[in-house]
Amino acid sequence: MMRNRPSTYRVYLVFLAVTALAYWQVALLQNSLKWDVMDCYLPWRYHVGECLQNGIFPFWNPYTHCGYPIHADLRSVWYPEAFVIGLSTGYTNLHLHFLFVFYLSLAGLGMYLLSTHFVRDWRASFMAGCAYLLSGFFTGHGQEMFGIIAATWIPFVLYYYIRLLKYRQFDDVLRTSVFVFLLVTGGYQALWAILFYLLLAVFIVRMIRLLRLRQAREAVQLLKLNVLLLLISVLSLTVIAVSYFQVAPHLGRLSGLSMEDAWFMPFSPRSALSFLIPFATVKDAAWYDTDLSMNNAYAGLIVLVFFVFSLFRKRSSLLNTFLVFGLIALLASFGRYTPVRSMLFHTLPMMDLFRHSSFFSYFALLAIILSAAAGFNSFLKHPHEGRRLLFRISLVTGAGLLILFIYGLMNAGPGPFLFLGKIVSFREWLMQPTRYEHVVIHATIQIFLLSLFAILISKCKRRIYPALMLLIILEMTLAVQLNTYYTVVSAGVRPMDLAANLKQRAPAFPLPQADIPVSEHTDASTSYSVLWRNTTIYSKAVSFGGFNSFRLEGCVSLADSFPQLAEKVLRNPVIFLSDSLKPFSPEIDFAASGNNSILYTEGHVLKTIPGQLQKSADDSIRLTDFYPGFASAEVSLKNPVAITLLQAWYPGWMVLIDGNEAEIFVSDRMFMSVLCGPGNHRVEFVYSNNLIIAAFLVSVIAILLILSRLIAVAFRGRKKLAVAAIAFLWIMPVAVFLIRFNPSEPYSVKKEKAYRDAAQKVAGSGVKHAVFNTDNELLMRKYLGEAGFKGEGYFYNLTRRTDISLMLDYLDSIDKQGVENLARVSLFTPFSFEEACVLSSWDCISEDNLNDFGNVGLLNKGGDRRFYETLNDFEQAVPGWNGHVEALDSLNPFSGRFSNRIDGDSPGSYACRLKFGEGTVPGLPEGRITVLARVRVKGNAEGASLIIQKRRGNLAVETFPLPLAGLTKQTDGWVQVAKAGTFSNDFMPDDELIAYIWGSEKTKLYADDFSLEIISGEFCRK
């Protein structure tokens, strides 16, 4: 059957189709991916992409843990995918869907190739590839992209390494090194650390075989090639090695974990249920003593039968090596339940550097699939000899499933199965059934499919292979689908909505606002749907929080040991002045001090402080630039003071005052401070790392040289084609880098150019009124003056959440003035859907993109696009509104006599409830509709939200919330807030549209002039 082996690219296309079918929710963008891939992989890659798109090398992430060297987090930067996507388009969540399907189908191809070392029939290899890409590892780790990447490249590493051992060819050294590079730079460290020992075991077995056959010359040659492989791999991974050794002294975790940490999240013995019924493992994580993403090692029911079948057949020494290693790995994956993990932890290098014992189970899965392929190959070669044994194995397996079925049925309880109940909400329907119901349901399915398999092998004599493969793919696809909504995708979350939200975030790197404390920047304040961790990376806001195990020692010390000190210093903005330095001591009561600008540092630093520091009321500091690895400020001082940037100190940072280097000292355990004398100065904080750049170039050149050699080998005999391919390989990355990293136009120059171009376009348009949503009002005013703009400008900055009130007041003022022509500028700030809704009655005449940093639009007053509007000023009853009269307040109105009080006694405001058709609102608007809710509020908004919702009966179909905490003023003033949302589906005649404010026990809020507008059709949304 080797002769009839189909071409590799055709096999890959089939794997691609199988992956798209099994994971159609991902492939067709029906449901978003979930958990770690959205919490970690996306924000980290998003940041790398933003850096590369703007010509900034991704050394530093300033937005998590108050800054850390992202290049030293070995998974985040150096993987080729990050540069390919980062330099070309940048990352969105939609890229992850493409990558998910791409990697799984590629993983299937890798297993297909690897299995050729164990079987000769391509059909058995195809079965192995399908089983692998549909296996429980990928379903269980569907939200862990680093694990998926590792599992994609491991079969390729093994395939080419075994080829190297067999044929001892130099080119296989190069091929193996390429996939080692991909694995180490992109994959989860635990998997490649364990793989090292599998490679070592395979090498030792091969060497023993050669020595037993007295082939000493071949053994020496093989040893030399392995040394060469090691050297080439190390050379290509130079940038990883340098990053590791640079960060190791500043990262306590690299010195090793505790045994308790290493035992964390095992593949517990109870998780072995996943070998038969993986659907049972997505409930009751506590019962399994692990996370539900870590307890799925499903290889396929029929594949499992062929695995057992293979144990009764003759096997190669290579397969036995994999089986023994797989057994040890399985025992190690049990964590504390066996002594194996502990033995490995204490005896083998690298085994004390990672958590999640369950990752060992991957290698058991690998061995099962390869052994099953060997059994399948044996059956295809002699089908009549194996039928009886397969039938017996199927009977035993069926008996086990029947026992599980009875066990589940006995424990499910006397009531009706929740799975058979009415589906009101798909998400709730998934969550309600018990583990026992899952056992019963999947055991029933498996018994039926196993019966079909038994019939096939006993009755079917012709064309049995297509029938078996269809059954295997069907059975494993069903298993994937049963678990998909638990461990792969989020029910009810649409990827296109997330992509739209990411697109609305501020482009490039906006200036942090000088009046906002860092403590106000949290993931919660910038979250959206499943984007709820590391979200300050999207909003480009410096935060001390973050979801990342990679933390510098100073951050760990401040967060874990001195939280009161952290709370004190984070009440300051990103950069601030201080005249009070004190010696640090763990005994200090940091909460007792009312001065947030006190700096605590080591005693030896205080001895170097010359003279007295003293702040003055006339002192000022203004950030002029801020992007990853750089911050500059203009200061005006009467006396010497200390300037602190709330970014973590790390080797490579330097401070320049008027171009001259000044000495940095560490304050408050981790931050960078510098002394500055009186006068006007320009202060620059700069991060550089020339050693990393040099190591990066070494790695890139090494990989390009390896690939050039492999291209030459692949196109041997076609010299011109080989030369063209090699030239493209070298020229393309250089050209792309030069486009993004133009030395004559660095990021700061491009930013100023965008402001200058915007000012010239506004001045040249002749308009007399313009609104500016920008991150740097002074810079905008400067260039408007130079351009000769004589009109009236309205400035706000929507990176500051409270400026939504300013924006709404300005736009209301423009509307009242009867302005007919308007310029609208947005630069380095987030898009505001609410702004677009307020301006929906304006026609966009022209719009110019400013190098993707924002845009300038010219608007003319147009027709009213509102389908319906209603306003409640709480002075009289309004159709469609209802609430409690006792919640009206006459002491705190904004207009008229009354406002609406929201507090612990009346947590809900007056609600606007509209029905279309023959209800409150006549008719139904055509197409998708947008709703804008606006209201004046004052008071304590803690725990309160403005909510727009579509309800169908008792079910909330779609909801748009706006948390109000932080938007109201500390003083007694009123502010205006707004929330807009476009409903994804058309309204049905009985659907209800609701808008209201809902508070908590801590809320004490007043609302007035509450309005709702329904806008039909498209309008200018940019």
Side-chain angles (χ1 to χ4, degrees), residues 44 63 94 168 210 231 303 320 324 326 453 458 563 920 977 991 1017:
W44 298 341
Y63 305 120
L94 301 182
R168 300 182 295 280
L210 291 175
L231 293 176
V303 172
N320 284 333
V324 171
F453 171 70
S458 61
T920 320
V977 297
D991 287 349

Side-chain angles (χ1 to χ4, degrees), residues 317-339:
S317 60
L318 179 63
L319 181 55
N320 284 333
T321 304
F322 272 74
L323 287 172
V324 171
F325 191 91
L327 177 60
I328 295 171
L330 180 62
L331 294 173
S333 72
F334 290 159
R336 68 174 71 249
Y337 292 95
T338 72

Side-chain angles (χ1 to χ4, degrees), residues 768-772 781 784 789-795 810:
K768 300 300 181 184
H769 295 81
V771 292
F772 299 92
R781 288 186 182 278
L784 285 171
F789 177 65
K790 302 298 183 183
E792 187 171 359
Y794 303 86
F795 292 86
Y810 283 157

Side-chain angles (χ1 to χ4, degrees), residues 100-162:
F100 182 90
V101 174
F102 170 72
Y103 283 131
L104 262 66
S105 53
L106 201 59
L109 182 64
M111 179 57 75
Y112 171 83
L113 294 173
L114 173 59
S115 65
T116 60
H117 290 301
F118 302 87
V119 301
R120 293 186 59 80
D121 194 324
W122 72 268
R123 297 175 299 177
S125 296
F126 181 74
M127 184 275 285
C130 287
Y132 186 61
L133 72 88
L134 296 172
S135 69
F137 179 85
F138 289 108
T139 308
H141 291 82
Q143 37 72 42
E144 212 286 288
M145 189 64 81
F146 297 114
I148 290 173
I149 291 172
T152 296
W153 300 127
I154 283 174
F156 287 96
V157 172
L158 287 166
Y159 170 67
Y160 285 110
Y161 184 69
I162 294 172

Side-chain angles (χ1 to χ4, degrees), residues 580-632:
S580 179
L581 275 69
K582 294 185 177 182
F584 173 82
S585 170
E587 308 302 322
I588 296 175
D589 182 4
F590 299 107
S593 171
N595 184 357
N596 296 327
S597 65
I598 295 176
L599 301 180
Y600 294 92
T601 187
E602 301 301 325
H604 67 273
V605 173
L606 294 176
K607 296 177 182 178
T608 65
I609 304 298
Q612 183 69 29
L613 306 181
Q614 185 177 355
K615 285 197 298 184
S616 166
D618 296 328
D619 291 347
S620 65
I621 182 167
R622 183 176 69 87
L623 269 177
T624 56
D625 225 339
F626 186 92
Y627 53 84
F630 184 83
S632 64

Side-chain angles (χ1 to χ4, degrees), residues 544 554-563 565-566 569 668-671:
F544 187 63
C555 178
V556 174
S557 172
L558 187 60
D560 298 347
S561 302
F562 306 103
L565 176 58
V569 70
D668 295 329
R669 311 303 292 162
M670 64 175 287
F671 300 112

Side-chain angles (χ1 to χ4, degrees), residues 230-246:
L230 179 63
L231 293 176
I232 292 175
S233 297
V234 169
L235 185 65
S236 67
L237 293 168
T238 299
V239 68
I240 293 289
V242 172
S243 296
Y244 175 84
F245 287 113
Q246 279 190 344

